[in-house]
Amino acid sequence: MDDSKIRQHISRQFNTELEEIRHKVLVMGGLVEQQLALAIQAFTTNDMETAELVMRRDNLINDMEVEIDLECTQIIALRQPTAFDLRLLLTVIKIISELEIAGDHAERIAKVAIKLSDTEGKHDQYHEILHMAELVKKMLNGALDAFARMSIDGITVITAMDEKVDLEYAGIVRQWVTHMMEDPRNITRTLHSLWAVRALERIGDHACYLCEHLIFMVKGEAVRHLSQQELEEKLNA
Amino acid sequence: MDDSKIRQHISRQFNTELEEIRHKVLVMGGLVEQQLALAIQAFTTNDMETAELVMRRDNLINDMEVEIDLECTQIIALRQPTAFDLRLLLTVIKIISELEIAGDHAERIAKVAIKLSDTEGKHDQYHEILHMAELVKKMLNGALDAFARMSIDGITVITAMDEKVDLEYAGIVRQWVTHMMEDPRNITRTLHSLWAVRALERIGDHACYLCEHLIFMVKGEAVRHLSQQELEEKLNA
């Protein structure tokens, strides 16, 4: 093979590697979405079998993070990519870390479901989180979809949802604290539930961080720590 | 200059860049240690001035993360390092992310201090966190020290401390839940305080993650998600 053919060949191989990485990130993201949905189901319906399934499956996500991280490192070392390709690989390393943490939070929600089933008290106070959970699922799904499309069009719609999530979270905390005050026998149960809803709120945060990493990947600009308004101004500039 | 001199020159310049990065990480780490110490002081002594100082200074840490992250990306793109140098730069990107999150948690503790000063109730129930805070400070300091020395000798001593931190945390939660039950008027105050002690516990976790990143840097092996025992076996093998 002459030089240009070898270069073409290497470049084709490199593109295949990048495609594989992207595919794996989406598989991992899909797993985290499933874990979130199952954890919420377990928590709101007191479904122990599902809670235990979530606990067992968390290590699949952990393993995928380790595997994809290693592959990105190897590709950077071997292919010495620059510009967009390098940003893509560095962004993937960050995205899978956010996904892994989101998976941990889903596992936490499942753990709370299991603890609650061992704790005395009423089992009917958790439906108020369903709407908040729908918002968080939409954020995570939207962020993964943006990664799949490699596009940040409309990404501020996703980050804007985090404010709604935070408001719903604050409302639920207020309501549940009132429950605690009305009947101190509810304290232990309600406290467990508060950890779960906190974990849900944090998954929303990590979906936002994922969006911020995507913006860095596409535009090469760091937007961490900007407010929603600053972010919108920057992206519409 | 002949070729070998140019190479020597580039390599000297590259080493200087790496040294500067390392230095900046240690400055950033020192800032996070200060923020943690100040946040704990503010929380345990109801010191509002210090709490507000911690809140104001968090953006210094955020800015350093963005700056160091960008520099690492640029060095990877320009110098195309391999082997240890590449692992060092990729590890730095992860370490500064852990430090930034630890800084956020310190800020959360300071926020709680401010909320508590606006909430009625007793101000004298927080000294039990001082011992736990000392452990977390030691973990963070030990992790940063290992990074400064670029050595993982004795690193399992740091990760082992996390189990002690978790035990102290569980004890404090149990004790404070009892307070809540004894006097429901304490519920709001105690709940705020529980968020603070949770944030402290999380800083310990991030000190552990920092150690895990260092192990990857030195040994090139991923040790995330190993238990303490598995980790000790692996490092002593």
Side-chain angles (χ1 to χ4, degrees):
Chain A
M1 280 197 282
D2 65 25
D3 245 31
S4 87
K5 276 204 179 147
I6 290 174
R7 269 203 303 278
Q8 241 182 35
H9 178 72
I10 287 175
S11 142
R12 221 173 18 234
Q13 215 173 317
F14 180 37
N15 282 337
T16 310
E17 286 168 4
L18 290 183
E19 268 315 301
E20 271 171 22
I21 292 274
R22 276 183 56 192
H23 175 70
K24 279 186 186 171
V25 173
L26 290 171
V27 171
M28 184 183 172
L31 254 173
V32 176
E33 286 188 283
Q34 278 175 25
Q35 290 283 91
L36 169 58
L38 293 173
I40 294 297
Q41 183 192 321
F43 178 67
T44 52
T45 64
N46 195 32
D47 172 354
M48 283 314 94
E49 222 166 288
T50 303
E52 273 154 21
L53 180 69
V54 172
M55 307 273 295
R56 272 200 310 279
R57 292 191 348 159
D58 184 56
N59 66 346
L60 294 179
I61 294 171
N62 298 345
D63 290 348
M64 286 203 81
E65 190 206 1
V66 170
E67 182 189 325
I68 300 172
D69 188 294
L70 196 66
E71 283 177 13
C72 288
T73 308
Q74 284 168 343
I75 296 177
I76 295 171
L78 289 173
R79 306 283 182 203
Q80 311 203 317
T82 56
F84 180 80
D85 291 339
L86 176 60
R87 286 212 303 278
L88 169 66
L89 289 162
L90 292 175
T91 303
V92 164
I93 289 177
K94 289 173 182 172
I95 284 177
I96 57 176
S97 167
E98 306 298 353
L99 288 174
E100 191 267 329
I101 299 170
D104 281 350
H105 285 303
E107 192 194 9
R108 252 170 226 134
I109 296 171
K111 244 183 220 162
V112 169
I114 290 171
K115 275 204 178 151
L116 285 176
S117 78
D118 293 335
T119 316
E120 282 176 37
K122 289 188 295 180
H123 276 257
D124 57 358
Q125 58 175 304
Y126 310 121
H127 290 283
E128 48 270 57
I129 77 153
L130 286 177
H131 187 247
M132 181 180 162
E134 283 313 308
L135 285 173
V136 174
K137 282 180 198 170
K138 265 189 204 159
M139 289 178 71
L140 187 57
N141 186 264
L144 289 167
D145 189 50
F147 176 75
R149 288 181 289 111
M150 293 275 135
S151 158
I152 56 169
D153 287 351
I155 204 144
T156 53
V157 177
I158 304 169
T159 53
M161 289 169 77
D162 197 43
E163 291 178 7
K164 283 190 202 160
V165 169
D166 289 351
L167 281 175
E168 295 228 2
Y169 169 70
I172 291 170
V173 170
R174 264 197 309 276
Q175 195 179 335
W176 289 2
V177 169
T178 312
H179 286 184
M180 285 173 145
M181 287 173 168
E182 283 166 359
D183 184 357
R185 284 170 304 176
N186 283 332
I187 285 176
T188 307
R189 286 189 71 73
T190 309
L191 202 57
H192 285 315
S193 314
L194 281 171
W195 296 133
V197 75
R198 169 72 153 208
L200 183 59
E201 187 267 329
R202 295 294 292 148
I203 296 177
D205 289 342
H206 288 283
C208 269
Y209 302 155
L210 214 157
C211 293
E212 291 165 359
H213 296 317
L214 286 178
I215 296 168
F216 171 77
M217 181 182 77
V218 172
K219 288 181 78 89
E221 273 181 83
V223 295
R224 283 293 300 271
H225 317 300
L226 295 186
S227 69
Q228 176 67 21
Q229 202 190 334
E230 288 166 333
L231 186 64
E232 285 174 12
E233 281 166 12
K234 185 149 209 154
L235 293 184
N236 297 330
Chain B
M1 282 198 281
D2 64 26
D3 245 30
S4 87
K5 276 203 178 149
I6 290 175
R7 269 203 303 275
Q8 242 181 36
H9 178 70
I10 288 176
S11 140
R12 220 171 22 234
Q13 214 172 317
F14 180 39
N15 282 337
T16 311
E17 286 168 4
L18 290 183
E19 268 315 302
E20 272 173 21
I21 292 275
R22 276 183 56 191
H23 175 69
K24 280 187 187 172
V25 173
L26 290 171
V27 171
M28 183 182 173
L31 254 174
V32 175
E33 286 188 283
Q34 277 176 25
Q35 290 282 90
L36 169 59
L38 292 173
I40 293 296
Q41 182 192 321
F43 178 67
T44 51
T45 64
N46 195 31
D47 171 355
M48 283 314 95
E49 222 166 290
T50 303
E52 273 154 20
L53 179 70
V54 173
M55 307 272 295
R56 272 201 309 281
R57 291 189 351 158
D58 185 55
N59 65 346
L60 294 179
I61 294 170
N62 297 345
D63 290 348
M64 285 202 82
E65 191 207 1
V66 170
E67 183 189 324
I68 300 171
D69 189 293
L70 196 65
E71 284 177 12
C72 288
T73 307
Q74 284 167 343
I75 296 177
I76 294 172
L78 289 173
R79 305 283 183 204
Q80 311 202 315
T82 54
F84 181 79
D85 291 340
L86 176 60
R87 285 211 304 276
L88 169 65
L89 289 162
L90 292 175
T91 303
V92 164
I93 290 177
K94 288 173 182 174
I95 284 177
I96 57 176
S97 166
E98 306 298 351
L99 288 174
E100 191 267 329
I101 299 171
D104 281 349
H105 285 303
E107 193 195 7
R108 251 170 226 134
I109 296 170
K111 244 183 220 164
V112 168
I114 290 172
K115 277 206 175 146
L116 284 176
S117 78
D118 293 336
T119 316
E120 283 176 36
K122 290 187 294 180
H123 276 256
D124 57 357
Q125 57 175 305
Y126 310 120
H127 289 283
E128 49 271 57
I129 79 152
L130 287 176
H131 187 247
M132 180 179 161
E134 283 313 308
L135 284 174
V136 173
K137 283 179 197 168
K138 265 190 203 157
M139 288 178 73
L140 187 57
N141 186 265
L144 289 167
D145 189 50
F147 177 76
R149 289 182 288 109
M150 292 276 136
S151 157
I152 56 169
D153 287 353
I155 203 140
T156 52
V157 177
I158 304 170
T159 53
M161 289 170 77
D162 197 43
E163 290 178 8
K164 283 189 203 161
V165 169
D166 289 349
L167 281 176
E168 296 229 0
Y169 169 69
I172 292 171
V173 171
R174 262 197 311 275
Q175 194 179 335
W176 290 1
V177 169
T178 311
H179 287 183
M180 284 174 148
M181 288 176 169
E182 284 165 0
D183 185 355
R185 284 170 304 178
N186 282 332
I187 285 177
T188 307
R189 285 190 71 74
T190 309
L191 202 55
H192 285 316
S193 314
L194 280 171
W195 296 133
V197 75
R198 167 74 155 207
L200 182 59
E201 187 267 330
R202 294 294 292 150
I203 296 176
D205 288 342
H206 288 282
C208 268
Y209 302 155
L210 215 156
C211 293
E212 291 165 359
H213 297 317
L214 287 177
I215 295 168
F216 171 77
M217 181 182 77
V218 172
K219 288 182 78 88
E221 272 180 84
V223 295
R224 284 291 300 271
H225 317 299
L226 293 187
S227 70
Q228 176 67 21
Q229 201 189 334
E230 288 166 336
L231 185 65
E232 283 174 14
E233 280 165 12
K234 184 148 208 154
L235 293 183
N236 296 330

